[in-house]
Amino acid sequence: MKLGTGIGWRPEIAEAIEALPGIDWVEAVAENICTDHPPDSLVRLRERGVTVVPHGVSLGLGGADRPDPGRLAALAARAELLGTPLVTEHIAFVRAGGSLTASPALEAGHLLPVARTWDALEVLCENVRIAQDSLPVPLALENIAALISWPGDQLTEGQFLAELVERTGVRLLIDVANLHTNHVNRGEDPAAALDELPVEAIAYVHVAGGVEKDGVWHDTHAHPVTRPVLDVLAELRSRVDPPGVLLERDDDFPPDAGLAAELTAIRETLTAAAAGPRRVRRRPAPVAGPASRAAGARGRTALGQTALLSSLVAGTPAPDGFDHLRLGVQSRALAAKRADVVAKVAPELPEILGDGYRREFLAYARNRPMSAGYRRDALGFAEQLLVAGHPADEAARRRLTRWWEERAAPRRPRRGTRLVRAARTALLGR
């Protein structure tokens, strides 16, 4: 299946994408597509014969829990709607806690790395098989960028991916920007990873930009693609001709000419690498795995992931063996992302709160881990402010109260106690 050159479809650049020359396909975040009313731009692209691939971000196939049937059904519905040849997701966990650990459920709101252990591999493979059985088209999984490393890894990145493909037959979505990120943040050699992973299983490739701050690479998807990332793309192309290559950009979008220039740089990198010497993939040494399935792998994985996520979002002590400084960087990054996404899903909140929005939200996030989605997070934030009698400005407090009532009160007619009292006070100006 040859995809060609593509770009990540986002509503903010929908018109630019439709006008860009040489776009063979697009990738759209699956959770942002309503099956009863898909975006008009995607409909037009489909009518032109442009392939649309749904890219999931919420399954958490690397998590300890088995995949949620509702999320799988939603992803399958989007695949059917778009007539796509495949769907993609990530090798990551996004939530922890719950019944497996008899602890509160926690949401990361972000893709977090799984340990490269036989336990984690066992859980991932079972989850992948469940997903494959539930989807109408093949599944491909993406390697993620990471700020932190798990202690006690038993396999390298390439070995882990090779074992995953061997056991499940899943395809791979290789993000070369993530390989570069892990090189800067975790000291992992991209060329070594490419040597070890089965490049013949690659469905397509991601290319994205980021930025380095204080020795940490942040995979922002909001900065231009850098030369080191293109160098990793060239390394990959010297080993295999990938069926598709896609530019990702999620924020701080450049002018149309800037997107076109980045696509040109990607095409030129592929052409130059194809003309150069061919790198022969070294056959990796066999990996000595466990003689049989590890009993209790799911439970052990659940405990480890819950301890890590709790330290990142709830302020519990850091698990043994983790780099405390890096955990702090990751924790602050998660809180900042929560603030940014809540501002997007509920733009009225920063409008009402003005310059104080971010300060207030980060203070809220320190004591209130996310346990559901971002919309529920926005409501929880507003509730907390109202209970505390904020904001101090009476007009702003009234606006916030009305905002909350329009979204939450109809679903909670019996919500008495402090919140309703605070809401009445704000509305009546008492």
Side-chain angles (χ1 to χ4, degrees), residues 12 24 35 49 100 162 164 193 204 218 221 235 257 267 278 284 311 321 326 339 355 368 391 393 407 411:
E12 298 89 338
D24 302 306
T35 53
L100 283 176
L164 173 64
Y204 63 88
H218 297 269
H221 294 191
E235 281 279 355
R267 293 187 183 101
R278 172 85 180 214
S311 73
R326 283 295 174 87
D355 293 339
R368 298 289 192 282
D393 178 77
R407 289 154 182 80
R411 294 193 296 274

Side-chain angles (χ1 to χ4, degrees), residues 156-327:
T156 65
E157 173 94 352
Q159 290 169 340
F160 193 85
L161 295 178
E163 285 286 329
L164 173 64
V165 171
E166 177 68 24
R167 296 181 182 205
T168 66
V170 75
R171 305 294 301 279
L172 295 176
L173 192 181
I174 295 301
D175 190 315
V176 294
N178 292 349
L179 291 177
H180 172 68
T181 301
N182 294 342
H183 170 63
V184 176
N185 293 349
R186 308 203 293 189
E188 299 170 358
D189 182 4
L194 291 171
D195 279 341
E196 291 179 327
L197 66 84
V199 293
E200 66 278 1
I202 293 176
Y204 63 88
V205 174
H206 274 174
V207 184
V211 64
E212 186 172 348
K213 294 180 181 178
D214 300 324
V216 174
W217 186 268
H218 297 269
D219 181 46
T220 64
H221 294 191
H223 291 81
V225 176
T226 62
R227 185 70 250 172
V229 170
L230 293 175
D231 289 343
V232 180
L233 177 63
E235 281 279 355
L236 184 147
R237 180 62 185 89
S238 72
R239 292 162 172 79
V240 67
D241 182 9
V245 178
L246 179 130
L247 171 66
E248 282 191 297
R249 187 74 179 238
D250 293 339
D251 208 348
D252 197 14
F253 300 100
D256 298 359
L259 291 174
E262 293 209 272
L263 288 164
T264 296
I266 289 170
R267 293 187 183 101
E268 290 176 348
T269 298
L270 293 170
T271 299
R278 172 85 180 214
R279 289 286 297 272
V280 179
R281 175 180 174 237
R282 299 197 312 266
R283 185 176 296 277
V287 182
S292 60
R293 291 191 174 190
R298 201 172 282 277
R300 289 190 294 273
T301 299
L303 290 172
Q305 291 180 348
T306 301
L308 173 59
L309 185 52
S310 181
S311 73
L312 291 173
V313 301
T316 58
D320 290 342
F322 282 92
D323 183 321
H324 288 224
L325 292 177
R326 283 295 174 87
L327 287 181

